[in-house]
Amino acid sequence: DTEVTQTPKHLVMGMTNKKSLKCEQHMGHRAMYWYKQKAKKPPELMFVYSYEKLSINESVPSRFSPECPNSSLLNLHLHALQPEDSALYLCASSQRWGRANEKLFFGSGTQLSVL
Amino acid sequence: KQEVTQIPAALSVPEGENLVLNCSFTDSAIYNLQWFRQDPGKGLTSLLLIQSSQREQTSGRLNASLDKSSGRSTLYIAASQPGDSATYLCAVRPWEGNTPLVFGKGTRLSVIA
C-alpha cells in the first residue's frame, strides 16, 4: 500500500463552522505533513509531524489546529476560517523527517471552500 | 534564501514531440531535487528524485538531469502523449538539516492530440 488517503475530497463550510480534514497512510512512515495550495501556486508547508510530535509550524494561524493521534493518522481541525482560507489542502508522508533523500508521498487533497 | 524558478510557466505541444522543462535554483547547497506531476485539483506524484551527487535519473520516457554548480535541472519527456498533460513542479531540499522542500511555481503542460 503506497497511498496517502485524504477525506473528504471536497468540503464547503461557513465561517462559523468547525470541521476536520483527515489523512491516513499505512506505509509505516513516521513523518506527516500538511500543505496548503492556492490555484496555480506551489504548495506551501503548514505543519510537519515527526514521530507524532509537531516539529514544524510555519506560523500558521490558530484557526488551523493539527493533530496526530497515532503514526498512521493526521487530522487538521478547522474553526472560524476566512474565505481566503479556501484552497486545496494536501497531506503528505515520508519515512522520516529530515532525511536527506526522503521521497514525499502526497494524498489527492481536500478542496476546501469557505463561504 | 533558496528560490526555485521554472520556465516556461505554460507550454503547449503536439502529440509525439520531445520536450524539455527547465528548473533553476539560486543556492547550489542542496541535498536533492525532485520533479513532481500534478493533475488539476489533485495531489502531487513524485516522478524522479536526483541526489546532489547524481547527474541524472531516468524513468520510462522521463529523464531528469541536474547541474548543481550552475543551479539547473531539466526534465526531458520523450514522445509526449495527451496523458502527459499536467503541471510539473520542481522542488529542492536545501542542505540545512530539517529544512522543508522549496517548490517552483510549476510548468503547465498541454499535449495536443
Side-chain angles (χ1 to χ4, degrees):
Chain A
D1 183 0
T2 58
E3 278 196 359
V4 176
T5 304
Q6 288 189 244
T7 56
K9 293 194 184 309
H10 302 275
L11 179 63
V12 180
M13 61 186 290
M15 289 190 284
T16 58
N17 292 157
K18 284 185 183 181
K19 297 285 185 184
S20 296
L21 309 185
K22 297 187 185 303
C23 175
E24 192 167 1
Q25 56 86 16
H26 296 288
M27 295 179 278
H29 290 176
R30 302 310 296 270
M32 297 186 79
Y33 312 74
W34 280 115
Y35 282 84
K36 172 183 177 179
Q37 187 178 25
K38 301 282 264 185
K40 299 187 180 179
K41 300 286 188 186
E44 297 175 6
L45 183 66
M46 300 173 72
F47 304 104
V48 179
Y49 271 84
S50 177
Y51 288 88
E52 297 90 69
K53 288 191 168 58
L54 184 62
S55 292
I56 288 188
N57 176 342
E58 293 283 16
S59 303
V60 179
S62 59
R63 57 187 185 267
F64 296 90
S65 176
E67 178 197 20
C68 190
N70 62 54
S71 60
S72 299
L73 292 173
L74 184 67
N75 298 321
L76 186 63
H77 302 298
L78 314 173
H79 174 55
L81 294 194
Q82 304 296 311
E84 60 264 28
D85 296 321
S86 298
L88 180 68
Y89 288 84
L90 295 164
C91 174
S93 71
S94 66
Q95 283 194 344
R96 301 291 184 269
W97 164 238
R99 274 197 189 165
N101 293 308
E102 280 297 286
K103 217 177 210 187
L104 259 65
F105 292 79
F106 281 83
S108 295
T110 295
Q111 188 65 56
L112 174 68
S113 297
V114 182
L115 304 179
Chain B
K1 181 186 168 187
Q2 178 74 269
E3 291 183 7
V4 178
T5 303
Q6 291 187 246
I7 295 173
L11 180 64
S12 184
V13 299
E15 181 178 6
E17 268 203 10
N18 303 324
L19 59 100
V20 174
L21 306 181
N22 296 295
C23 172
S24 61
F25 46 96
T26 54
D27 187 344
S28 62
I30 64 170
Y31 268 128
N32 62 50
L33 183 144
Q34 299 181 59
W35 283 94
F36 293 90
R37 170 190 170 134
Q38 185 174 31
D39 293 295
K42 302 292 186 185
L44 281 67
T45 300
S46 180
L47 298 173
L48 291 163
L49 183 154
I50 312 178
Q51 299 179 24
S52 61
S53 59
Q54 296 177 323
R55 299 284 293 184
E56 65 178 341
Q57 282 285 334
T58 298
S59 176
R61 294 183 293 109
L62 305 180
N63 176 278
S65 69
L66 174 64
D67 184 342
K68 204 173 63 159
S69 60
S70 68
R72 292 182 185 175
S73 176
T74 62
L75 179 66
Y76 174 83
I77 303 177
S80 58
Q81 303 170 357
D84 295 328
S85 299
T87 296
Y88 291 81
L89 291 142
C90 164
V92 300
R93 182 176 293 284
W95 189 256
E96 294 85 14
N98 293 345
T99 305
L101 292 178
V102 180
F103 283 89
K105 293 184 178 179
T107 293
R108 198 164 58 256
L109 173 66
S110 297
V111 181
I112 312 299

